[in-house]
Amino acid sequence: MEERSAQGAPARDRLEEIQRRIRVRRRRRAAVGAATAVAALAGAGAFVAVLGDQPTRSAPFASGSATPSAGQPTAGPSAVPSPVAGRKVGPFAEYARGYRVVAAGRAPVSAKKVQLTWTVTSTDVQFFSYCPGLPDKHVSLDAEIAINGDPTGVFMNCISELHQDPIRSEAPVSGLNVGDTVTVTYTVTGAQDNGRRLGTIPTRGTLHFAVAEKVPFTAYPLPSRPAALKPPKPDGMADEAGTKVLHSDPADPNRTVSITLPWYQGYEVTLIPQTPGIYRVSINGVSVLDGEVHDYAGGGLNATCQVARGEQGTCVPALRSVKDGENVRVDVTAQHATGPWLTEVRSQRQGSAGHG
């Protein structure tokens, strides 16, 4: 997920500071080869994404069927006896970042449509698309998704690079109920070249489209553990004034680690895990970051709450009553972790605390 801006426009000096920190973190995340789980919250108001919702009434690894429309062969498996890391469904990894591809199909770009049918076992779904063979690497396709013929409000941009990063939805996809067999239609509606809308849709290339459902963490096929784990490294906040660093218990990485801090205009939180697991950061018992990690790359899911002073509201409404100077308790919990992690907590008022 990309860093998201808060509602309204922050002051120029504050915006420059936010952008500087984002650039620093992006460079350091790239160095370790993975995204970092990041969240922030503020007493002055902003936006927060809480990650890793559990699937709704999910049944793990039920067989997914993929019935394409005429002339559109599918790559969806009819039965999966057990989860296998590294297996593919067409060009897509069957398991990616907590989701399993349950239906996939393809069609020529000239057909402008791929249609699949599958039996819903989780309403927590993701849609993936991939369009190799377009006339130019800068050309992309605009598409919309419908369930049983009804628009879902989900729009996608298909490019010639394959990505399977889940996108956090603010609301579940409509038209899905566990146990129902539904038809999903992926329809190309336009094309762009470097952001410039094209008058016609290209006819070259192939449309690949897939539906993926959330998999319970304990049923997800994790990669092999490395022979040695490198200690997690801070992503850039630890060297900034007002930052405390919490380390996992060396004897038990699943033990809750806590710290009490005075609240000053909110706190920015970065959680860097080194092993797969379910991680959560809460303040005064209110969850502000909740995410899953499925590899040993030293990173994880990420979301950012950028703080702009003077805005109305708070990024977490349940913390609206917290006033500057009041002590708050920060708890970091982990489940299924088998190695070290660290968490950086930085006051939004620089210099309000020393290094931890």
Side-chain angles (χ1 to χ4, degrees):
M1 297 176 63
E2 293 294 329
E3 282 82 357
R4 302 185 183 187
S5 62
Q7 301 172 2
R12 182 177 179 84
D13 59 343
R14 178 60 178 160
L15 179 58
E16 290 176 352
E17 171 63 14
I18 290 170
Q19 292 174 339
R20 183 192 69 78
R21 295 210 311 270
I22 289 174
R23 288 194 296 270
V24 170
R25 291 182 196 120
R26 280 178 174 167
R27 288 196 297 269
R28 299 202 183 191
R29 288 176 194 151
V32 298
T36 302
V38 182
L41 47 149
F47 170 86
V48 69
V50 179
L51 303 173
D53 281 358
Q54 294 299 313
T56 303
R57 296 171 54 205
S58 62
F61 308 108
S63 299
S65 63
T67 305
S69 56
Q72 299 176 13
T74 182
S78 59
V80 181
S82 61
V84 177
R87 183 159 50 195
K88 289 192 173 183
V89 180
F92 301 101
E94 182 182 12
Y95 293 93
R97 298 186 181 274
Y99 288 80
R100 174 191 165 222
V101 171
V102 294
R106 67 181 182 184
V109 169
S110 57
K112 301 181 183 179
K113 182 173 70 174
V114 179
Q115 193 171 78
L116 304 172
T117 300
W118 98 99
T119 300
V120 179
T121 62
S122 171
T123 59
D124 185 345
V125 300
Q126 295 286 331
F127 302 112
F128 304 129
S129 62
Y130 169 49
C131 296
L134 293 173
D136 184 87
K137 66 179 182 179
H138 300 296
V139 172
S140 62
L141 304 177
D142 299 324
E144 60 184 11
I145 295 174
I147 299 291
N148 292 335
D150 295 325
T152 61
V154 177
F155 301 89
M156 301 186 68
N157 186 249
C158 193
I159 62 176
S160 56
E161 295 180 359
L162 179 57
H163 295 279
Q164 287 183 251
D165 298 320
I167 302 300
R168 167 72 179 190
S169 297
E170 298 306 318
V173 176
S174 60
L176 294 181
N177 296 290
V178 172
D180 289 351
T181 297
V182 301
T183 298
V184 57
T185 306
Y186 176 88
T187 304
V188 177
T189 58
Q192 302 180 39
D193 185 346
N194 262 336
R196 177 178 59 86
R197 186 166 297 280
L198 300 177
T200 59
I201 297 173
T203 56
R204 286 173 48 191
T206 303
L207 299 174
H208 291 276
F209 174 64
V211 179
E213 295 182 342
K214 188 69 174 66
V215 175
F217 183 87
T218 54
Y220 189 90
L222 300 174
S224 299
R225 184 184 178 91
L229 291 175
K230 296 181 179 179
K233 296 181 179 180
D235 76 343
M237 286 171 54
D239 295 332
E240 298 178 0
T243 299
K244 296 288 187 179
V245 180
L246 286 71
H247 294 271
S248 57
D249 184 338
D252 181 8
N254 292 298
R255 187 180 73 82
T256 298
V257 176
S258 306
I259 189 172
T260 298
L261 297 171
W263 179 274
Y264 287 114
Q265 300 173 348
Y267 285 93
E268 191 170 1
V269 180
T270 302
L271 195 153
I272 305 175
Q274 201 65 23
T275 68
I278 302 173
Y279 298 89
R280 177 176 292 121
V281 178
S282 62
I283 293 185
N284 284 357
V286 178
S287 179
V288 297
L289 185 148
D290 188 349
E292 294 183 3
V293 175
H294 302 92
D295 57 35
Y296 297 88
L301 304 175
N302 77 81
T304 300
C305 168
Q306 297 177 358
V307 178
R309 294 186 178 92
E311 292 180 352
Q312 300 299 314
T314 59
C315 19
V316 181
L319 295 173
R320 184 177 293 123
S321 61
V322 180
K323 296 179 175 59
D324 282 0
E326 292 183 1
N327 284 337
V328 295
R329 179 185 175 93
V330 180
D331 296 305
V332 185
T333 61
Q335 292 177 277
H336 311 294
T338 59
W341 51 260
L342 66 79
T343 301
E344 299 161 308
V345 184
R346 180 184 185 275
S347 170
Q348 290 300 324
R349 191 176 78 174
Q350 294 189 33
S352 63
H355 294 295

